[in-house]
Amino acid sequence: MVEMSGAEALVETLKREGVRVIFGIIGGAIMPVYDVLRDSGIRHVLVRHEQCAAHAADGYARALGRPGVCMATSGPGATNLVTGIATAYMDSSPVIAITGQVNRRSSNTAYMIGRDAFQEADIIGITTPITKYNYQLTSVSEVPRVVKEAFYIATTGRPGPVLLDFPKDIQTERAEVEFPGKVEIRGYKPVTNPHPLQVKKAVDALLEAERPVILAGGGVILSNATPELLKVAEFLMAPVVTTFMGKGAIPENHPLSLGCIGMHGSRAANSVILDADVLLAVGTRFGDRSTGTLDTFCRDAKIIHIDIDSAEIGKNVDVDIPIVADAKKALRALYEVLASRAEKRGETAWFRRVKELKEQYEELLESRDEKLKPPRLLRELRKIIPVDSIVTTEVGQNQMWASLYFKTYKPRTFISSGGLGTMGFGFPAAIGAKTARPDRFVVDIAGDGSFRMTEQELATSVIEDIPVTVVILNNSTLGMVAQWQRLFFDERYVAVDLKGIPDFVKLAEAYGAQGVRVGSLKEFVKAVKEAMRLDVTTVIDVPIPPEENVLPMVPPGKSLKEMIE
Amino acid sequence: MTTNEEQTHIIAAIVEHKPGVLYRVSNMFRRRNFNIESISVGPIEPRDLARMTITVRGDEKVVEQMIKQLAKLIDVVKVSRLHPENTVSRELALIKVYSPDTRARSDIINYVNIFRASIVDVSTDSMIIEITGDSDKLDAFIELMKPFGVKEIARTGITALSRGAKSIKIL
Ligand SMILES: Cc1ncc(C[n+]2csc(CCOP(=O)(O)OP(=O)(O)O)c2C)c(N)n1
């Protein structure tokens, strides 16, 4: 037992949890915590909007596979975190959000919480549906246990954000505290080991399969299961398609990789998955953007579904063989049983078909070559930046071009808001990723509309010396929405024209960053190389035609079969 | 038993007995578009746990999903589905009816006796009846009271236990 203030107990627990950096903005109700943080050795990155603190913590977590921490004051600081927390929740990212809260008691011992005190917001009520769990601290002595529980919940099972709401009086009050070695939560016991009988059933199905397909979701990346995934795929010679969140679960230059399925998936992936007789789906929630209409999605295939969240099983798609387990452990068990019962498959007819599809897919990508247009530009970018570079994206056409044309070779190197589709995510997430991986080149593939939502973080990037590069595919429109208006609203354009304002080169310079506008592929390549060499915050403005579509595309409410080319 | 028919199901959940838990549960139901008919809650042993009895309408798939989503909540320690055929389920209602004259009064008393209900309060022109039973019994009784004029009804919602030795184990 040691005597401490609540703020000291918080910071001490954060240190014990291995926290090295916190992204945040200070304010009245969180000042005592900052006061302790000042000399704690934990780095604080002062962002310019709390939304970006959450996105940066999220990017940090996704790049590193360890929890990211963000912090804000009560009321508006806390509510500004909301979009970032919801983004992390939808993509199962372990983010710890710490908010200040008004005093529980004022000096005359009356309660303040619940009386609409200055800068009071019910952040527990607000974030309950978008966090895995949240806590409001009620005493100093419980701080170490609660904070430890928060990390435990955020990082185990299906990861997700956890919020800690810290009334100011508990930050300053002093009490005897004890730091527990481990925590027990009676209502939270994530299952991680696969049931042997289910594994056996899955193996039976896979060994009988003529046309097995593996669908890898974000869960494969979250559980660092790429090596195990490859072993199973190569053993079965089964093609691997991914969801958008699973991009990077398999190196996209692997002979068995056919890219992403879904609304903006590759034709190869969308057609191969519909041909499967046995589908092994790992760590995916069968989101609507991935499956297209459900009544045409793998209706005749036997579906094996591995997920650590049992509530995902049967939620969207009926499953034949459920396996509730950690993806890594389940895939390892599958491989062991497979290898004990059969020989590795050779070049089956199915594999030859996959090879054919893969070749067609590559050709198609190549034949779209044109001047300074996104597909070509993204393939050039892949060639010049190191394999382990981290790419983040914004939302819209930029994101889908990146998904289709930028090949990802390693897990945790493609970071994007898949579930919530949050414009403005990519840039702060890049800052978070660079903080986690200072040795890597980090680039945000942006649209001009999205970048404008969080561009003020140029200040953070420059001043905190967290150099990232932003490539703006600048079509002066809200491109993806314009594409929908073109394709599904009779070209009735409304509210999509951004009119080419501002001048992004000048904007970058105003923040002390480097700004370059490029007019050719050659200039683009040069600008990227320069950004890598100088390792300074760089904005590369790439003017592109406003009327480009991202194709292929499965129209909303349609089957994966019905792609527009 | 798998059917696509909408039915009423009873779910029992053992939850942490602390502030905000009812909010988490009901908020999850709202967010996921589940239709709850009633919830009743009360503390059990040990005192830091509570038992919720939830009745819901939906088909098999919906109920299964609902149970999984409930189990996923950190504050929910255990969830169990109670099958109607081996469940004792009870509801309590308090009903205030007009009884301005002796004739009405004696008629009401008759019904009360038949239903094994009891009269718990009497005033000059109304009385309060307490009745316990399964929900159908309560519905039927309330129907019979309507001609007299029902002033107010308070129902607890269903609470239920499975029959026999079986019970929900709290680790
Ligand atoms: C915060 C937020 N607001 C609105 C949307 C709806 N939306 C989706 S894509 C898009 C256009 C994106 O434009 P831009 O960032 O310029 O990218 P482009 O599609 O042109 O590549 C919009 C408005 C969204 N996803 N997120």
Side-chain angles (χ1 to χ4, degrees), chain A residues 51 83 394-399 401 420-424 446-451 453 473 475 477-481 498:
Chain A
Q51 180 187 343
T83 301
E394 299 298 342
V395 169
Q397 293 183 308
N398 57 85
Q399 182 183 34
W401 273 317
L420 200 67
T422 309
M423 289 170 70
D448 48 324
S450 299
F451 182 57
M453 292 201 180
L473 303 176
N475 51 15
T477 59
L478 296 170
M480 185 55 94
V481 179
L498 297 173

Side-chain angles (χ1 to χ4, degrees), chain A residues 124-309:
Chain A
I124 294 294
I126 291 169
T127 60
T128 292
I130 55 165
T131 50
K132 189 167 170 186
Y133 198 60
N134 55 22
Y135 291 90
Q136 186 167 73
L137 277 300
T138 56
S139 71
V140 177
S141 60
E142 72 169 12
V143 170
R145 176 186 55 81
V146 167
V147 176
K148 197 171 177 60
E149 279 182 13
F151 277 82
Y152 175 63
I153 291 171
T155 54
T156 53
R158 178 184 186 166
V162 177
L163 180 133
L164 292 161
D165 194 32
F166 231 102
K168 193 173 180 182
D169 53 335
I170 293 177
Q171 297 172 35
T172 50
E173 237 171 69
R174 303 185 71 82
E176 295 279 315
V177 298
E178 213 171 352
F179 295 89
K182 62 186 214 81
V183 288
E184 267 291 306
I185 304 167
R186 60 184 163 186
Y188 179 67
K189 302 260 185 299
V191 174
T192 60
N193 288 316
H195 196 292
L197 194 68
Q198 295 303 96
V199 172
K200 182 187 168 297
K201 282 189 200 160
V203 168
D204 291 343
L206 287 167
L207 288 177
E208 270 174 30
E210 274 174 34
R211 301 181 308 280
V213 173
I214 300 177
L215 171 63
V220 174
I221 294 172
L222 286 166
S223 81
N224 302 313
T226 294
E228 289 76 10
L229 178 82
L230 286 175
K231 273 190 145 175
V232 172
E234 286 164 3
F235 186 90
L236 296 167
M237 291 297 267
V240 179
V241 297
T242 71
T243 64
F244 179 71
M245 288 309 296
K247 191 173 166 68
I250 177 169
E252 292 188 297
N253 53 356
H254 189 284
L256 289 167
S257 161
L258 290 177
C260 294
I261 59 163
M263 181 174 274
H264 286 287
S266 73
R267 177 171 266 289
N270 280 345
S271 84
V272 93
I273 195 167
L274 295 183
D275 281 346
D277 62 353
V278 175
L279 177 67
L280 172 60
V282 193
T284 169
R285 60 183 164 86
F286 292 104
D288 53 286
R289 278 291 205 266
S290 293
T291 59
T293 45
L294 284 174
D295 53 355
T296 58
F297 180 79
C298 298
R299 293 304 278 189
D300 303 323
K302 194 170 251 182
I303 300 181
I304 305 162
H305 188 188
I306 300 173
D307 206 292
I308 195 155
D309 179 358

Side-chain angles (χ1 to χ4, degrees), chain A residues 493-506:
Chain A
Y493 294 111
V494 54
V496 290
D497 188 359
L498 297 173
K499 300 202 161 56
I501 299 285
D503 178 331
F504 286 110
V505 173
K506 284 190 186 150

Side-chain angles (χ1 to χ4, degrees), chain A residues 282-349:
Chain A
V282 193
T284 169
R285 60 183 164 86
F286 292 104
D288 53 286
R289 278 291 205 266
S290 293
T291 59
T293 45
L294 284 174
D295 53 355
T296 58
F297 180 79
C298 298
R299 293 304 278 189
D300 303 323
K302 194 170 251 182
I303 300 181
I304 305 162
H305 188 188
I306 300 173
D307 206 292
I308 195 155
D309 179 358
S310 70
E312 286 306 340
I313 287 169
K315 186 181 86 180
N316 293 341
V317 166
D318 290 333
V319 170
D320 300 281
I321 306 169
I323 302 179
V324 178
D326 168 57
K328 194 180 183 77
K329 288 185 177 169
L331 286 168
R332 189 184 293 150
L334 267 186
Y335 177 77
E336 276 164 14
V337 179
L338 276 171
S340 75
R341 284 183 42 190
E343 291 295 310
K344 179 183 172 322
R345 283 200 184 161
E347 291 219 355
T348 55

